[in-house]
């Protein structure tokens, strides 16, 4: 049997998933917004929050992998409209944000759902997405729930020659290229940065 590192040197036929890696789940992929209409520039986001302080609940700084490893203090350059835990009526109360999605995102999803229904494109869940068009494509509810209980989390880009780990404020939402390690303590950070973890990663 060839293992995941494409090597014959290790027999993994008797390997089992460790229970401690499943319950509670501690590593998550970030969110996939699915359309650029969910994103606002930092200037636009800050302006809207200053004008409507309640928007802070659903308008979040959105961190991508390049910013994590390339920006000073790993600062995000955009905001994301995140209605993950809001139904249509609740989302519509954030009027300016809701209108942005109505104009930019809804027509795109309607078009993709129609193409799927007509057999022009293969089934990929766009028809189902139409039922919650005001929410991102991959919301990662489990990650958001876990992150909510932390002041900070450990993040790493999953597209990287070498894993660079960084503490990120839990006020920031990670995008799908950012892996979330739901730990806020220095001890766990040290383990992830260790030579042992690096060798396992390889």
């Amino acid at each position: 049997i060839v293992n995941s590192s494409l090597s014959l040197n290790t027999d993994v036929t008797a390997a089992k998933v460790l229970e401690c890696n499943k319950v509670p789940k501690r590593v998550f992929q970030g969110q996939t917004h699915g359309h650029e209409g969910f994103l606002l520039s930092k200037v636009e986001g800050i302006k809207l929050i200053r004008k409507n302080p309640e928007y802070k609940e659903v308008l979040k700084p959105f961190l991508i992998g390049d910013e994590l490893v390339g920006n000073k203090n790993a600062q995000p350059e955009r905001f994301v409209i995140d209605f993950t835990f809001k139904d249509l009526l609740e989302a519509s109360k954030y009027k300016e944000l809701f209108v942005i999605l109505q104009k930019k995102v809804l027509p795109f999803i309607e078009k993709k759902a129609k193409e799927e229904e007509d057999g022009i494109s293969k089934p990929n869940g766009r028809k189902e997405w139409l039922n919650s068009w005001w929410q991102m494509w991959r919301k990662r509810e489990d990650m958001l729930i876990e992150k909510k209980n932390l002041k900070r989390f450990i993040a790493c880009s999953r597209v990287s020659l070498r894993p660079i780990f960084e503490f990120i404020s839990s006020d920031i939402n990670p995008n799908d290229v950012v892996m979330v390690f739901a730990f806020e303590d220095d001890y766990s950070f040290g383990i992830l940065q260790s030579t042992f973890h690096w060798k396992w990663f390889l």
Side-chain angles (χ1 to χ4, degrees):
I1 292 179
V2 179
N3 66 21
S4 58
S5 64
L6 305 180
S7 167
L8 295 170
N9 298 329
T10 307
D11 179 8
V12 295
T13 55
K16 295 181 180 178
V17 175
L18 298 174
E19 196 64 27
C20 63
N21 288 341
K22 294 196 306 181
V23 183
K25 183 176 177 184
R26 303 307 294 268
V27 182
F28 308 87
Q29 187 176 344
Q31 297 173 306
T32 305
H33 52 286
H35 189 277
E36 292 297 307
F38 285 99
L39 302 178
L40 300 174
S41 70
K42 184 188 284 187
V43 172
E44 290 174 302
I46 291 171
K47 184 178 177 182
L48 279 168
I49 289 172
R50 283 182 178 156
K51 182 181 173 186
N52 309 279
E54 69 277 12
Y55 281 16
K56 193 172 183 180
E57 184 187 353
V58 294
L59 192 54
K60 302 290 184 180
F62 197 52
L63 183 69
I64 65 173
D66 284 347
E67 294 162 352
L68 174 65
V69 299
N71 283 9
K72 186 176 181 182
N73 298 323
Q75 289 300 298
E77 297 174 358
R78 295 177 295 180
F79 279 75
V80 67
I81 301 170
D82 185 1
F83 286 139
T84 296
F85 299 110
K86 305 292 183 188
D87 62 27
L88 185 62
L89 182 60
E90 291 170 325
S92 68
K93 292 176 182 175
Y94 301 87
K95 190 170 182 181
E96 288 183 68
L97 301 178
F98 189 77
V99 168
I100 290 171
L101 299 184
Q102 256 185 330
K103 289 180 178 177
K104 294 183 177 181
V105 178
L106 180 56
F108 167 80
I109 300 175
E110 286 176 329
K111 179 176 179 286
K112 292 297 182 182
K114 183 76 165 60
E115 288 174 359
E116 189 176 312
E117 187 175 352
D118 293 344
I120 297 171
S121 64
K122 62 182 181 180
N124 58 14
R126 301 292 185 177
K127 281 173 62 179
E128 289 75 16
W129 190 17
L130 189 55
N131 296 325
S132 57
W133 61 266
W134 62 95
Q135 298 176 339
M136 283 183 272
W137 175 237
R138 295 284 181 258
K139 303 175 283 291
R140 311 296 183 201
E141 296 96 322
D142 53 353
M143 179 271 294
L144 293 175
I145 291 168
E146 195 68 31
K147 182 172 75 73
K148 188 177 180 182
N149 299 318
L150 305 173
K151 290 182 181 177
R152 62 184 185 176
F153 61 89
I154 302 169
C156 177
S157 173
R158 63 184 174 89
V159 182
S160 178
L161 292 175
R162 179 176 176 86
I164 299 171
F165 296 92
E166 183 69 66
F167 276 119
I168 301 297
S169 166
S170 57
D171 292 331
I172 293 172
N173 281 19
N175 101 317
D176 70 309
V177 178
V178 177
M179 296 302 295
V180 172
F181 296 79
F183 301 98
E184 59 184 345
D185 62 291
D186 295 331
Y187 184 81
S188 297
F189 185 78
I191 291 173
L192 290 172
Q193 289 278 35
S194 71
T195 301
F196 301 103
H197 186 237
W198 168 237
K199 289 186 179 297
W200 176 86
F201 181 93
L202 287 176

